[in-house]
Amino acid sequence: MTTHDTSATALNALGVLDGIVRHTTVHGIPTLFAPRPGEITAGLVFRVGHADETLPTSGITHLVEHLALYRLGLSDLHYNGATASTYTLFHVTGDEDAVVTYLNSVCEALRDLPMDRLETEKDLLRTEAGSRGKGALSQMPLWRYGAQGYGLSSYEEHGTRTLTPDQVRHWAETRFTRDNAVLFLTADRVPDGLDLTLPAGRRFPAPAASSALPDTPAYLRGEDGHLVFTSVLRRSTAAAVFAEVLGRALFQDLRQKGGYSYSAEADYSPRDTDFATLTAYADALPQKQDAAVGGFVDVFARLRAGRIEQAELDSARGKLLKRYDVPDLGAALLPSYALSLLTGHRILTPEQHRAELEAVGVADLREVAREAWDGGLLQVPTRGADWAGLTAAPQFSPSGVSGTLHPSLEDDDVTLIIGEAGVTLSTPGGLVTVRYDACAAMTTRPDGARCLTGLDGFQVTVEPTLFGDVTAERIAVLDKAVPAAAVVPLPARPAQEIPQPRERTAPAPRTPADGSQQAEGRGSAGRVSGHFVFVTALATLWPVLLVTLLVNGIQEPSIRLPVIAGCVLEFWLLHAARNLYRTGQPTTPQ
């Protein structure tokens, strides 16, 4: 049965759209509709996505989406589902009967998920993930947000291995509810026969953003051939226009003028209620990468200085205005209106948006350019971008933990520390630490391997075969300390996949290998530091003073106590020099 409750408070914000889009409620779900000739397109959108999950449960929303669509099987319908950072969409195109069948089937499945398919769908999601591969932008969320919230899109969906039927069922019952949904249809009326009955719930706000960047603008080293820039901007009409101006400027300078890049573009994408993500990308051949980076920085410097031609602004504004030069405008705007209603973002009529576009001036774009640069993260394929005023993104933790030392069996300059508060990997470049109370996830293997990922995105892998004295008792310390909700058991590995020590080689700088971890390096701790030289000098000179004292006062009985104290001090100096060489600190890291 279809109900029409025009008094629903969730639709109050749509009053401004009267005459463009009609609205009602269907079984408690706010519903927007506007006519368009031909087949009907419908979308049922829920305010839940990847960013609402945790690393151990990542993939749970995607899993619910797959299970909800299973019963449709090999239908002739043109339908699909999509899981994004902040929403999940079920959409279909067909005649009225087909659309009703699809929407009813989705809601029926959400009320009673086919749990007999759970393990099969987990396998399918892992297969899907394996076929997607990693793109040039895959690491950017991790470096900006860490291993939580909006950063989870950089990670493997761990939940596809460990989620239980109860967890999946609870997620569907609490997140896929009528109060957390919006429906839109390209029709002049709501079709009869809809049964969209879903449990009551509440509208979940978009998750708050975390940050793994202490300073911006920042840069990181990425893959050769790719230059990527992202920033977070307040959602505004001026910011959308700026993205168009930036994209055109990059294309003109990097491709048409410089010939450094084939692809050079920019994009503006809403992230949540109040903020959007600005993304800029350019490719380059290895021999032109430095020039491409320089050209990119120059483009931004020009825009930040307000050196923007009126023609550039007019062209960008004209492109955005063209979205309104389409037939059946109300139907074309339905998806964006539905998402705005779902996230609580302001809703503008076409006339209001046109007025805001016309009001954007060069001064507005200059301010957006400065905001974008100040909060920017630049991934460069070259050595760095310090020369452009950017700070290197953190590659190492600010401190370590105290505990037992486990030397690497491959590199004398690497030590694993397992402590009561967390784990630290001491490298020639610095310390990488994951504290148990800030552990996003710990994967476990039956052979004893443990991989701990911190909420900040840093990762320490404990392989008993690669470090000395990592006994079952030391692994038990990890298992006891990490919260159970953060543990992700993985299956046993074939014997040939368990790593064995390689021949010792000279240490090399470590950089991010993929989107699943940050580089193991950042801090000031190094093999040869000023502190190390000073302490080593004292340890070298002190025995000379001891010998002189002993020779000159050997007949004096009172000399024995100072000599003993001097020997103790010499022992401490040697111990401190060793730790400074290996961990960057005079004692075991605290």
Side-chain angles (χ1 to χ4, degrees), residues 209-264:
S210 55
S211 177
L213 291 175
D215 299 296
T216 57
Y219 75 88
L220 63 102
R221 173 68 189 273
E223 298 178 359
D224 282 348
H226 303 285
L227 173 65
V228 184
F229 176 89
T230 64
S231 189
V232 176
L233 300 171
R234 287 165 295 192
R235 291 180 66 173
S236 68
T237 300
V241 174
F242 173 76
E244 292 292 335
V245 170
L246 176 62
R248 293 175 67 86
L250 291 174
F251 184 84
Q252 182 177 11
D253 285 22
L254 299 187
R255 175 170 172 167
Q256 293 184 322
K257 290 183 179 179
Y260 311 136
S261 303
Y262 177 78
S263 297

Side-chain angles (χ1 to χ4, degrees), residues 433-517:
T433 298
V434 178
R435 296 182 180 273
Y436 304 134
D437 59 2
C439 181
M442 180 178 74
T443 60
T444 66
R445 295 279 189 182
D447 56 53
R450 301 290 185 266
C451 182
L452 294 88
T453 302
L455 290 172
D456 56 7
F458 287 115
Q459 191 174 85
V460 174
T461 300
V462 179
E463 290 282 2
T465 54
L466 299 184
F467 294 93
D469 300 322
V470 180
T471 62
E473 288 74 17
R474 299 314 297 157
I475 295 298
V477 171
L478 305 180
D479 294 343
K480 181 179 179 181
V482 174
V487 176
V488 180
L490 298 181
R493 296 178 286 186
Q496 63 270 23
E497 292 184 10
I498 298 176
Q500 300 299 323
R502 301 184 304 269
E503 288 188 23
R504 295 175 183 270
T505 56
R510 303 188 182 191
T511 56
D514 54 43
S516 66
Q517 64 180 39

Side-chain angles (χ1 to χ4, degrees), residues 142-225:
L142 179 161
W143 285 84
R144 181 174 291 278
Y145 301 111
Q148 56 184 315
Y150 299 98
L152 294 180
S153 59
S154 293
Y155 287 84
E156 174 189 351
E157 294 179 335
H158 284 307
T160 59
R161 297 186 181 276
T162 61
L163 287 167
T164 66
D166 286 343
Q167 287 177 297
V168 176
R169 191 177 293 111
H170 177 73
W171 194 254
E173 291 172 349
T174 56
R175 303 292 178 139
F176 290 83
T177 67
R178 64 172 182 254
D179 298 295
N180 204 36
V182 171
L183 172 67
F184 66 85
L185 302 125
T186 60
D188 59 0
R189 63 181 180 85
V190 175
D192 293 327
L194 283 175
D195 181 7
L196 308 186
T197 304
L198 289 171
R202 66 182 180 90
R203 178 67 53 82
F204 282 86
S210 55
S211 177
L213 291 175
D215 299 296
T216 57
Y219 75 88
L220 63 102
R221 173 68 189 273
E223 298 178 359
D224 282 348

Side-chain angles (χ1 to χ4, degrees), residues 554-579:
I554 194 169
Q555 301 298 331
E556 299 292 332
S558 59
I559 199 66
R560 295 175 184 174
L561 186 59
V563 168
I564 294 174
C567 291
V568 171
L569 178 58
E570 174 64 11
F571 174 80
W572 185 89
L573 287 171
L574 290 172
H575 179 75
R578 174 181 176 275
N579 279 335

Side-chain angles (χ1 to χ4, degrees), residues 238-248 265-268 278-279 365 368:
V241 174
F242 173 76
E244 292 292 335
V245 170
L246 176 62
R248 293 175 67 86
E265 56 199 18
D267 174 72
Y268 171 89
L278 173 72
T279 303
L365 298 184
V368 175

